[in-house]
Amino acid sequence: MNYSSRRKKTTLSIMALVITLLHLMPFYILITTALKAKGDFSSKWVFPAEINWSNFSEAWEKANLGNALLNTTIITFFAAILLIMVGSLAAYPLARRQTKLNKFMYMFFIAIMVVPPLAALVPLYQLVVSIGLMNTHEVAIFNNVAAYLPLTIFLYAGFIRSTIPKSLEEAARIDGASTMSIFFRIVFPLLKPVTASVLIIACVFIWNDYQFAIFFLQDKSVQTMTVALSGFFGENTNNLNLVASAAIIAMLPMVILFLFLQKYFIKGLASGSVKG
Amino acid sequence: MPSITINMVINIIGGLKLFDVIISLTGGGPGNASQSMSTFMYDLYFSRQDAGYAATQGVLMMVIILILSLSALVYFRRKEVEA
């Protein structure tokens, strides 16, 4: 390695470090704020002298976070399962059978990704009211599935086209497997890495979804995490320590899921289908 | 370069349909100063109860985003070929 490229590399690492620090700063402030008692007015940069865990339990009770956590978990779980099932089943023929109709459908799905989901708000809202799905979990699940299905199909189709060898499917076909059993027994297990990335993307987006939740889940009993949090923020602007604790509780599940899947994701990418 | 193109286009789309940050921080105010297209539509429909205007705003938002993101895509693609 010569001198100039080494210097370039050092500059790049320093830049990356600065950017990372900038991104981590809000989290540091969030954590220090969450751990301070209400009367503690020390600077937000200082770590609290006395760690105060009671903020978490108080925020949990006051903001009704248990209920919100349950609602968000139900919505995210079912929406992610539906997305993976429907998305992979739709992407398989779109990637494998290149007929004119399939090419058109694929382009159509890509085009839908550009359309902001909110552009359809008015007709969607009127439809939801007229079929009586307001304030139910189902409406949030279906909305989120519809909103992220194009992205899921795009990821699955790209992966199937580029990494899954056709010969595997042909071999299974010769052994007498039906199309459905080829898909579920051979193709779907090989899709694990892309399933992990779909799961990460979909879960994070759906967990943090605010726009659909604020329109369709206005009732307190079906409130999601984000709506409960913003309501709690409005009520407690004079006690931000509580709000910070609630925010940490709200983001923790996704952080854990991400860390867990990240490891799995890299492992899945490294092992190919033909090798093993 | 292709990654710059994709990131630019995704960020343009994301910025144009920005919603939750504005609603939770300023609510579009003071006045209409920090309204984005999405929050403006939300305001039209839920506060002013004007479904027709809001629906039109939705269609217009889609058209604007489509034009801007497509032109950005074409522009950056052209740069890619030159480089």
Side-chain angles (χ1 to χ4, degrees), chain A residues 95-96 155-165:
Chain A
R96 273 288 178 260
L155 286 174
Y156 269 122
F159 191 83
I160 291 174
R161 220 177 263 162
S162 63
T163 37
I164 304 229

Side-chain angles (χ1 to χ4, degrees), chain A residues 88-273:
Chain A
S88 59
L89 275 171
Y92 182 53
L94 285 182
R96 273 288 178 260
R97 282 200 203 149
Q98 301 275 355
T99 61
K100 257 199 181 128
L101 180 69
N102 279 355
K103 269 184 193 156
F104 171 75
M105 285 310 287
Y106 184 68
M107 284 315 291
F108 185 67
F109 278 122
I110 306 278
I112 290 178
M113 276 203 287
V114 184
V115 181
L118 267 188
L121 169 68
V122 177
L124 188 66
Y125 191 84
Q126 282 168 350
L127 177 77
V128 168
V129 170
S130 72
I131 57 178
L133 275 180
M134 277 302 277
N135 292 321
T136 55
H137 290 138
E138 290 90 329
V139 64
I141 293 171
F142 290 143
N143 267 331
N144 281 313
V145 169
Y148 298 116
L149 196 57
L151 182 67
T152 313
I153 290 177
F154 176 65
L155 286 174
Y156 269 122
F159 191 83
I160 291 174
R161 220 177 263 162
S162 63
T163 37
I164 304 229
K166 249 188 180 155
S167 48
L168 265 179
E169 289 155 46
E170 279 155 7
R173 173 88 56 197
I174 288 167
D175 287 342
S178 67
T179 311
M180 271 325 236
S181 73
I182 288 178
F183 179 76
F184 282 111
R185 286 196 171 161
I186 293 159
V187 178
F188 194 70
L190 293 177
L191 291 176
K192 249 184 213 161
V194 74
T195 305
S197 50
V198 165
L199 207 60
I200 290 175
I201 294 170
C203 281
V204 171
F205 280 168
I206 296 169
W207 189 274
N208 294 333
D209 165 58
Y210 185 67
Q211 20 185 294
F212 286 131
I214 204 173
F215 301 137
F216 301 116
L217 305 172
Q218 287 157 345
D219 198 76
K220 257 225 143 96
S221 61
V222 285
Q223 240 177 14
T224 60
M225 213 70 188
T226 44
V227 179
L229 204 61
S230 73
F232 191 59
F233 181 68
E235 290 161 18
N236 287 287
T237 37
N238 58 345
N239 190 357
L240 285 178
N241 306 26
L242 268 188
V243 183
S245 314
I248 288 184
I249 297 174
M251 80 183 187
L252 214 54
M254 276 308 108
V255 174
I256 293 169
L257 180 88
F258 187 79
L259 290 177
F260 173 71
L261 278 181
Q262 179 85 331
K263 204 174 81 190
Y264 186 74
F265 178 62
I266 293 164
K267 225 189 252 170
L269 273 182
S271 66
S273 56

Side-chain angles (χ1 to χ4, degrees), chain B residues 19-60:
Chain B
F19 176 77
D20 33 11
V21 179
I22 293 173
I23 282 287
S24 55
L25 284 179
T26 65
N32 275 334
S34 62
Q35 210 92 273
S36 78
M37 287 191 282
S38 315
T39 58
F40 184 52
M41 186 170 65
Y42 171 75
D43 195 42
L44 282 175
Y45 191 32
F46 288 99
S47 316
R48 298 184 212 171
Q49 305 282 337
D50 193 345
Y53 194 0
T56 318
Q57 168 72 18
V59 175
L60 196 67

Side-chain angles (χ1 to χ4, degrees), chain A residues 81-91 145 149 153:
Chain A
I81 297 234
L82 259 177
L83 260 180
I84 287 169
M85 286 304 296
V86 178
S88 59
L89 275 171
V145 169
L149 196 57
I153 290 177

Side-chain angles (χ1 to χ4, degrees), chain A residues 17-28:
Chain A
L17 199 71
V18 169
I19 292 171
T20 317
L21 279 179
L22 270 175
H23 275 272
L24 285 177
M25 228 141 58
F27 292 102
Y28 176 73

